[in-house]
Amino acid sequence: MATPHILQVGPYPAWDQEPLDAAFTVHRYFEAADKEAFLAEVGPQIRAIATRGELGADAAMIAACPNLEIVSVYGVGYDAVDLDACRARGIRVTNTPDVLTGDVADLGVAMMLAQSRGIVGAEAWARSGSWASQGLYQLQRRVWGKRAGVLGLGRIGFEVAKRLAGFDMDIAYSDVAAKPYASQWEFIADPVALAERSDFLFVTLAASAATRHIVGREVIEALGPEGMLINVSRAANVDEEALLAALAAGTLGSAALDVFEGEPDFDPRFLSLPNVLLQPHHASGTVETRKAMGQLVRDNLTAHFAGQELPTPVI
Ligand code: 8YV
């Protein structure tokens, strides 16, 4: 039986690839040497795009698929999908919310702890024999009881804040408006004011044109030489030039980052900074969550082609 043709933008684990290949005729964009020629050849057959959060589907890709009906994103973030191009043609877009929330929050908090307590350097100290040859590891900075700011109290921000409460932290948040479900935490509308009262600032905003560089020089300076920035959202929410300059100058204490401009080829200047923890965009990267994300990508595609309601539509 002929199955719908789909364009797969990036790789998936085998447990997702096999059922996808069984249900659809899959064209692997990421394996094509000449991507433009590949799109020109297969584009007219494509009825669905299966992509990843950070890869999305840009205007050129969407335009190359004149019969496209749906874009299914493996990720909660859909900022890399050209929504205007999809809206203009009535193309549906889906994502994978909820299933990854807890893991992203876990990694954000783990990054805070790792960076503040020097876990990576301390492990190297023990492993290299420095403990025995040079003595105790240098003292680090406390986390519990400190002031935490959460920029963006959506699903992920809320789970981060819940976890921080377990460390007896003094929590405040910024968002477009105070959240009715967050009266236990202080609402501070202005991100600069939030940064000013924070020892740790978490960036958990869904990225859009409106949030681009919302963490700019002013926010970074307000966080200050004792402050730490933790970003588990999108690199575009942070002005990376301002961040690199502040980390180098010590006007920002430290950063813990899971996302980077141009990732995976991130700015090499990060490598020479001792006060930054680098993570390879894997906040949702557990077996449990990735299986649920893959299932949801397929559930959305299957529902669409069966003419059923989409489980997790964006538009
Ligand atoms: C994934 C993400 O790492 O959910 C998102 O928006 O960026 C992450 O969960 C990514 O989509 C997997 O490719």
Side-chain angles (χ1 to χ4, degrees):
M1 196 186 75
T3 54
H5 288 249
I6 75 169
L7 184 73
Q8 182 182 340
V9 181
Y12 296 131
W15 60 64
D16 290 322
Q17 196 64 56
E18 282 157 22
L20 202 68
D21 288 342
F24 303 101
T25 304
V26 179
H27 301 275
R28 291 172 174 69
Y29 176 78
F30 57 100
E31 284 177 358
D34 183 340
K35 300 223 170 349
E36 215 173 306
F38 180 75
L39 271 187
E41 186 196 326
V42 305
Q45 304 172 72
I46 298 299
R47 294 177 65 196
I49 292 177
T51 187
R52 305 171 62 106
E54 73 280 19
L55 301 176
D58 63 15
M61 180 179 281
I62 292 164
C65 304
N67 297 306
L68 184 64
E69 299 165 29
I70 181 169
V71 178
S72 184
V73 180
Y74 177 80
V76 68
Y78 47 82
D79 50 300
V81 178
D82 192 320
L83 286 190
D84 290 338
C86 291
R87 273 197 202 95
R89 286 179 38 202
I91 296 165
R92 306 297 307 272
V93 178
T94 63
N95 65 344
T96 60
D98 300 318
V99 294
L100 49 67
T101 304
D103 279 345
V104 177
D106 279 356
L107 193 82
V109 173
M111 284 160 59
M112 169 187 70
L113 288 165
Q115 181 68 339
S116 200
R117 297 300 305 271
I119 289 173
V120 175
E123 209 266 352
W125 190 257
R127 196 175 278 270
S128 66
S130 299
W131 184 14
S133 63
Q134 295 184 56
L136 297 175
Y137 192 59
Q138 60 186 320
L139 298 183
Q140 302 296 312
R141 301 309 295 245
R142 173 186 288 177
V143 166
W144 72 267
K146 293 278 178 76
R147 295 164 308 169
V150 180
L151 183 51
L153 203 78
R155 298 177 184 90
I156 293 169
F158 185 81
E159 286 300 317
V160 166
K162 252 174 62 185
R163 284 157 175 71
L164 300 181
F167 292 96
D168 291 333
M169 296 181 91
D170 175 5
I171 300 162
Y173 70 98
S174 276
D175 210 307
V176 284
K179 301 284 183 181
Y181 50 79
S183 56
Q184 65 276 42
W185 303 313
E186 188 183 351
F187 171 65
I188 299 176
D190 176 18
V192 176
L194 181 75
E196 218 147 52
R197 62 86 74 194
S198 298
D199 299 305
F200 299 93
L201 182 66
F202 286 82
V203 189
T204 49
L205 288 163
S208 68
T211 67
R212 186 175 160 72
H213 291 187
I214 189 167
V215 178
R217 195 174 47 80
E218 262 191 289
V219 170
I220 291 168
E221 279 177 6
L223 194 51
E226 301 290 319
M228 183 191 297
L229 182 77
I230 301 113
N231 190 5
V232 287
S233 61
R234 284 288 186 269
N237 284 333
V238 176
D239 179 343
E240 216 171 68
E241 278 300 325
L243 176 64
L244 280 158
L247 285 168
T251 49
L252 176 67
S254 62
L257 308 170
D258 189 44
V259 285
F260 301 86
E261 290 288 0
E263 62 183 55
D265 297 315
F266 61 86
D267 195 313
R269 285 176 292 173
F270 279 116
L271 294 172
S272 56
L273 290 168
N275 50 350
V276 62
L277 177 76
L278 309 174
Q279 294 289 293
H281 195 158
H282 73 134
S284 69
T286 67
V287 171
E288 296 88 340
T289 280
R290 288 288 167 87
K291 282 192 170 170
M293 288 165 64
Q295 185 65 53
L296 205 40
V297 164
R298 291 193 299 284
D299 288 350
N300 277 295
L301 292 173
T302 306
H304 172 76
F305 288 112
Q308 291 162 0
E309 209 176 306
L310 301 177
T312 48
V314 173
I315 55 171

